[in-house]
Amino acid sequence: MADKMAGDTGEKPRETDTVPLTRGLSTKLLVLTILFVMIAEVLIFIPSVANFGMQWMMQRLENAASVSIILMEGEDEKLAPPIRDELLMATGVKAIAVRDADVSRILVVTDMPPMVDEHIDLDAITPTAAIAQTFSTLFFGGDRVFRIYGTVGDTGKIFEILIPDAGLRDAMLTYARNVAFLSLIISLFTATLVFYAINRIMIRPIRAMTQSMLSFAATPDDPRRVISPEERGDEIGVAERELARMQSALQKTLGEQKRLADLGLAVSKINHDMRNMLASAHLMSDRLSTVDDPAVKMLTPRLLRTLDRAVIYTEGVLNYGRTQEAPPTRRRLRLHALVDEVQSVLPLETDDRIEFVNAVPEDFEINADSEHLFRVLANLCRNAIQAMAGDSEPSVIKRLTVAADRKDHTARIYVTDTGPGLPQKARENLFAPFRGSAKSGGTGLGLAIAQELVRAHGGALELVESTGGHTVFAISIPDQPRLG
């Protein structure tokens, strides 16, 4: 069956299809995890470097403030120039000044630069300005001089320093390199943990489901190909259980289709001989028409019509399971006369206590295919008779009634019997071939075929009620086919 399906599509089943590593979910997950962690680290890295730069400048300003206090408390005019130079070299600045009560005083200076490139107020600088200043130094600095000023401690004095930005730039580059390396290590470590966790929780089960679907597609009739779901309560567990149910249901459906195919093959083998036998019976029935017996002359047309239908049915059985029924040829019919024809072919002689009631008004008309509607009614009525024939209680009423009415532009036909009702299993699988039979050994094809014929008219076949002593089927057929 699987080989036939593969041949129809022109493709061979591929049981061992695998996704290349470069396109697999695992690789994508690993790359995306590293990327997202790096993005998070960058968002942390930018303000971190800026904060480092501000702290570096504040540290230099505090060192210069400490030197300034020593100079102001001592006799700075007696300090030799070499000692002052050593003080400046120790702090890394070119000049130190202090401003107190709007009075500015230069305490120590050496190699006064011709110009100051940037003035930085550490007391008033905003985070955005700090970030901008930091990256300006990183990308464009190295040969500039900063004037950095601000208060230190609780002295109330404003200390100022002139300092080259080369030291700041080198320190920030070293810090940035260290942070970047640490961020990369953290990213790889985090990505590995996240990848391992998600791979165990999601990727591996998804890969298993994918492999199960590929294996099942290769040999859908093999029960071993149905996935065994894990005991999980999350979405993956639900998906595995639903996949297992779907595969099991599909296997069951394929088994039924195979039975239909086998049935069609068997019918095709006997079809030729059956047609020959029916043709012989038809010839003998023609000869009966020459007999003068009134009863024979009355029954012969019915017998001929029955044989004609038998030939048509024999030729059409093979179509079930292989192709759909031919589209209906709709005509205006007198339903009362059609129900009389159905009554003439029913096995009512098997139980003479079964009463058949044609409750259809004689002038009731319906727009339908006569052969299709005949088959539908014959199937429903035959099933009802078989259900009632099994009841041997002499006092039980056995009545089969066919009635009809019309609502707007839809004709409704009711087939009602007083049988025992359909069992629960039959109601659950009412129109399913091989499962909807109400009797042991039945195929359930009758109702399946009837439903297909009614749907071809744009109508519906439904079980209205089925209780002990009252079972009603309803056929709804609109006057015109439904569009769409």
Side-chain angles (χ1 to χ4, degrees):
M1 188 74 176
D3 295 338
K4 182 177 180 181
M5 292 171 63
D8 293 341
T9 59
E11 297 180 359
K12 295 182 179 179
R14 296 175 295 175
E15 182 178 350
T16 58
D17 277 1
T18 56
V19 179
L21 182 62
T22 55
R23 292 193 288 113
L25 288 177
S26 301
T27 303
K28 294 178 181 179
L29 176 63
L30 181 61
V31 172
L32 288 175
T33 303
I34 295 175
L35 177 62
F36 293 154
V37 173
M38 289 298 295
I39 292 174
E41 292 290 345
V42 168
L43 295 177
I44 299 174
F45 170 81
I46 294 174
S48 176
V49 174
N51 182 64
F52 173 80
M54 293 299 103
Q55 290 181 351
W56 188 92
M57 288 186 286
M58 178 58 71
Q59 184 66 40
R60 296 301 181 273
L61 188 62
E62 290 176 351
N63 293 341
S66 300
V67 172
S68 300
I69 293 173
I70 295 174
L71 293 176
M72 286 187 297
E73 291 180 353
E75 295 181 357
D76 59 311
E77 65 276 359
K78 296 182 180 180
L79 291 178
I83 296 177
R84 294 187 177 186
D85 292 343
E86 289 180 3
L87 288 173
L88 290 173
M89 291 179 62
T91 58
V93 300
K94 292 182 176 293
I96 302 175
V98 62
R99 187 165 63 244
D100 187 11
D102 296 331
V103 177
S104 181
R105 177 185 177 189
I106 299 177
L107 298 179
V108 61
V109 62
T110 179
D111 191 18
M112 178 65 73
M115 63 177 296
V116 175
D117 297 288
E118 189 170 349
H119 302 268
I120 301 174
D121 183 0
L122 294 182
D123 293 338
I125 190 169
T126 63
T128 303
I131 292 174
Q133 189 280 325
T134 297
F135 282 90
S136 174
T137 302
L138 281 174
F139 293 111
F140 308 107
D143 56 355
R144 298 185 296 181
V145 176
F146 290 162
R147 173 178 171 257
I148 303 173
Y149 58 96
T151 58
V152 177
D154 299 329
T155 62
K157 297 181 177 63
I158 298 176
F159 295 91
E160 303 179 15
I161 60 174
L162 296 180
I163 186 170
D165 72 340
L168 174 61
R169 185 172 183 272
D170 292 341
M172 286 194 297
L173 287 174
T174 301
Y175 177 82
R177 182 177 63 250
N178 294 337
V179 170
F181 179 75
L182 182 61
S183 299
L184 180 60
I185 297 299
I186 294 175
S187 299
L188 292 175
F189 181 73
T190 305
T192 301
L193 292 180
V194 172
F195 169 77
Y196 178 78
I198 297 183
N199 186 65
R200 288 294 299 263
I201 296 173
M202 295 179 58
I203 304 301
R204 286 176 58 183
I206 291 176
R207 187 182 297 117
M209 285 192 291
T210 302
Q211 186 60 40
S212 174
M213 287 186 284
L214 293 172
S215 301
F216 186 83
T219 53
D221 56 341
D222 187 353
R224 296 173 299 177
R225 303 298 186 180
V226 177
I227 189 173
S228 298
E230 299 180 4
E231 295 295 331
R232 299 177 52 157
D234 55 11
E235 291 82 353
I236 297 293
V238 174
E240 288 180 342
R241 289 190 291 272
E242 291 302 319
L243 177 60
R245 292 192 188 99
M246 181 185 68
Q247 289 176 335
S248 299
L250 183 57
Q251 273 192 349
K252 193 172 184 180
T253 301
L254 290 175
E256 294 172 355
Q257 293 294 329
K258 186 177 184 301
R259 292 181 63 184
L260 286 174
D262 293 339
L263 175 62
L265 179 61
V267 171
S268 66
K269 291 180 179 180
I270 67 173
N271 186 49
H272 183 267
D273 293 337
M274 180 64 71
R275 288 181 61 189
N276 289 338
M277 288 185 286
L278 290 174
S280 299
H282 196 281
L283 290 175
M284 288 185 287
S285 299
D286 286 338
R287 294 179 181 177
L288 288 177
S289 62
T290 60
V291 179
D292 292 334
D293 190 335
V296 173
K297 289 186 176 181
M298 181 182 66
L299 294 175
T300 297
R302 295 183 179 179
L303 179 59
L304 291 176
R305 286 197 299 272
T306 302
L307 290 174
D308 289 337
R309 289 194 177 99
V311 172
I312 295 173
Y313 295 165
T314 303
E315 293 176 345
V317 168
L318 186 60
N319 292 332
Y320 187 83
R322 185 177 65 182
T323 58
Q324 294 183 345
E325 292 282 350
T329 303
R330 301 177 64 140
R331 303 284 298 275
R332 298 298 297 181
L333 308 175
R334 294 191 183 277
L335 184 58
H336 185 91
L338 185 65
V339 173
D340 282 341
E341 289 189 44
V342 172
Q343 180 183 1
S344 68
V345 299
L346 294 177
L348 295 172
E349 66 279 358
T350 59
D351 190 337
D352 56 4
R353 293 185 298 110
I354 296 179
E355 177 186 0
F356 185 92
V357 178
N358 185 352
V360 179
E362 294 188 3
D363 60 347
F364 190 91
E365 297 183 359
I366 186 171
N367 186 346
D369 185 302
S370 60
E371 288 297 327
H372 285 191
L373 188 55
F374 181 93
R375 292 169 61 185
V376 173
L377 292 173
N379 274 323
L380 294 176
C381 292
R382 190 177 292 110
N383 289 345
I385 291 172
Q386 291 173 351
M388 292 186 292
D391 197 336
S392 59
E393 180 65 34
S395 60
V396 173
I397 296 176
K398 301 179 180 180
R399 181 180 298 121
L400 173 59
T401 304
V402 179
D405 62 19
R406 179 180 298 280
K407 184 177 181 181
D408 297 330
H409 298 285
T410 299
R412 287 178 61 85
I413 307 172
Y414 303 94
V415 179
T416 307
D417 68 73
T418 59
L422 294 172
Q424 182 63 31
K425 182 179 180 181
R427 289 199 298 269
E428 292 175 354
N429 305 283
L430 194 58
F431 301 107
F434 304 111
R435 289 186 292 171
S437 177
K439 63 178 181 177
S440 177
T443 63
L445 286 175
L447 287 177
I449 295 173
Q451 185 188 52
E452 182 179 346
L453 295 175
V454 173
R455 284 181 174 176
H457 285 75
L461 172 61
E462 58 182 331
L463 176 64
V464 177
E465 183 181 356
S466 182
T467 59
H470 193 66
T471 299
V472 182
F473 279 91
I475 306 167
S476 301
I477 297 180
D479 287 344
Q480 296 297 330
R482 295 176 182 173
L483 299 178

